[in-house]
Amino acid sequence: VPEQRGILSTVLAPFLTLFGPLAWAVGALWRGISKMAKRKADHLLREDVALGTSPLPKTQSFFATLWDFSRPHTLIGSALCIPALHYFAAPTLQAAVAPTVLWSCLTACLPAFLINIYITGLNQITDVAIDKVNKPYLPIASGALSVRAAIVTVCVCLVLGLGLVPLVYANVPFLQPFATEALQATLLGSAFLGTIYSLSPFRLKRFPLLAATCIFSVRGLLINVGFYAHALVSSFGGLGGTLLSLPLRDVRCGMAALFFVVFGVIIALMKDVPDLKGDKVSGIRTFTVRMGPTAIFAATSNLLACLFGGMAMFMSAAGGQSIVAGLYYTALARGIVGVTMLFVAQQVLSKAKDVDAENSKMVYQ
């Protein structure tokens, strides 16, 4: 019993110490989101009454609605990204399959999922008017989920996502190796950028250059460098270093960061192409609104093909170096990746020719 009390006090003491400031911060966030959401809801209700376009709520379970609200594709992306970066950071194959790697992936995925839900949920709460035009099937826009329930969900996810590492992992002995500074910085940075992207008075999504910078900073630099550094420290005994210097000191980390920074730019531009109507109605002056969907779609398609083509050339050169070093299996693997990248680049260019950029369904496909 004394041991159990000791464990409980170790875990609860930091939580109780930080509860006051944490509660104040969440309360301030709640009030800010609620005020914005109420203004938008009142405006939309007046529009729906005037036009007779009030949406019919979906008939599905609450948990299914929450699943849709989480934007599952973002969770799937994190579930693939985090283990991939762990294996990419592994110095040897034997180290990559160690049980520590599995624990590191699981402990990183849980708070990452929660922050994902916070970011995507906050964006839906503040974008109801836009989603009614662009994505009327989303839970809030369709009426399947109330704004109040959405606010509760994102606040809970934010508190748990940011609190797990410093309040739980850092105070439970067998989880302490996974409470890395890199993981905390990645979660905090993602939440911060996701907040200023969607929420007033910042709402960076109104400014196309700042919005694109925010997106590729998170998807390209922060997530890839942060989880790579977390893997080095928690699984492979590395020092990690600062997130800014790591890509310059570690070739693998630099490669991942460079690839996904470019990929993040493509995402930032491409995602607005099918959202043209809603952004235009809501006064969001994206690059697609300014330059037209055809020009942006063509530019991003060509950039994506170049990215895959460049990776094919890089892997071919790396395969040649492996042959010189006598690493024939490594050369074969790199050659297969290179050929695959070249094939994907060709497919991007081929399929992009048949897409009508003003048809959102074709763009999504």
Side-chain angles (χ1 to χ4, degrees):
V1 174
E3 291 181 358
Q4 291 178 350
R5 288 178 179 174
I7 293 174
L8 287 175
S9 62
T10 302
V11 175
L12 291 177
F15 178 79
L16 294 175
T17 303
L18 295 175
F19 181 76
L22 192 61
W24 180 88
V26 173
L29 180 66
W30 175 289
R31 290 190 293 273
I33 298 175
S34 297
K35 288 180 181 178
M36 175 180 284
K38 187 177 185 304
R39 289 196 298 267
K40 288 182 175 292
D42 291 343
H43 174 70
L44 291 171
L45 181 61
R46 289 193 296 270
E47 283 188 349
D48 288 338
V49 171
L51 301 175
T53 58
S54 182
L56 295 175
K58 295 180 180 179
T59 55
Q60 62 180 13
S61 70
F62 178 71
F63 290 105
T65 301
L66 282 181
W67 174 248
D68 291 340
F69 179 68
S70 72
R71 304 295 279 151
H73 68 276
T74 64
L75 301 182
I76 294 171
S78 295
L80 295 174
C81 168
I82 292 172
L85 287 168
H86 275 72
Y87 293 132
F88 199 49
T92 63
L93 180 60
Q94 184 178 3
V97 296
T100 308
V101 175
L102 177 60
W103 276 106
S104 182
C105 290
L106 292 175
T107 53
C109 279
L110 181 56
F113 289 166
L114 292 168
I115 296 301
N116 252 328
I117 296 172
Y118 164 73
I119 293 172
T120 56
L122 180 63
N123 190 54
Q124 292 175 67
I125 292 171
T126 58
D127 276 2
V128 180
I130 298 174
D131 290 340
K132 275 177 168 283
V133 178
N134 293 334
K135 304 181 184 76
Y137 52 83
L138 290 179
I140 301 177
S142 67
L145 184 68
S146 69
V147 173
R148 184 177 184 83
I151 294 174
V152 171
T153 301
V154 299
C155 287
V156 169
C157 287
L158 177 64
V159 171
L160 292 178
L162 295 182
L164 270 176
V165 178
L167 300 180
V168 179
Y169 293 0
N171 295 286
V172 177
F174 76 92
L175 292 177
Q176 285 177 354
F178 310 112
T180 65
E181 292 182 0
L183 179 58
Q184 295 184 60
T186 303
L187 298 171
L188 185 60
S190 298
F192 173 73
L193 291 174
T195 300
I196 64 174
Y197 176 82
S198 297
L199 197 61
S200 294
F202 308 100
R203 198 157 168 78
L204 298 185
K205 70 175 301 173
R206 294 175 298 171
F207 314 104
L209 187 58
L210 291 177
T213 303
C214 191
I215 291 171
F216 76 69
S217 295
V218 174
R219 294 179 180 269
L221 282 175
L222 188 57
I223 288 178
N224 290 279
V225 177
F227 286 123
Y228 187 96
H230 168 70
L232 282 181
V233 175
S234 65
S235 300
F236 310 119
L239 297 178
T242 63
L243 297 188
L244 292 177
S245 65
L246 184 59
L248 302 177
R249 295 184 291 102
D250 190 300
V251 175
R252 293 185 183 184
C253 183
M255 286 172 52
L258 179 60
F259 181 89
F260 282 103
V261 162
V262 179
F263 196 73
V265 172
I266 295 169
I267 292 173
L269 297 175
M270 179 74 80
K271 77 174 188 62
D272 292 328
V273 173
D275 292 346
L276 173 65
K277 292 182 181 179
D279 289 339
K280 186 179 291 187
V281 168
S282 301
I284 305 295
R285 299 284 294 170
T286 63
F287 284 115
T288 300
V289 173
R290 294 167 184 262
M291 303 174 64
T294 302
I296 297 299
F297 182 78
T300 51
S301 300
N302 290 331
L303 183 57
L304 183 60
C306 289
L307 179 62
F308 287 130
M311 182 56 65
M313 294 175 62
F314 179 84
M315 295 306 295
S316 298
Q321 291 181 345
S322 299
I323 292 175
V324 173
L327 303 173
Y328 300 111
Y329 288 111
T330 303
L332 178 61
R334 289 174 172 174
I336 291 173
V337 173
V339 171
T340 303
M341 291 291 101
L342 193 61
F343 174 76
V344 171
Q346 187 274 330
Q347 287 293 300
V348 168
L349 292 176
S350 176
K351 292 184 177 181
K353 293 179 181 178
D354 301 324
V355 174
D356 179 5
E358 296 187 6
N359 186 326
S360 60
K361 291 184 179 180
M362 294 183 71
V363 174
Y364 279 124
Q365 293 173 352

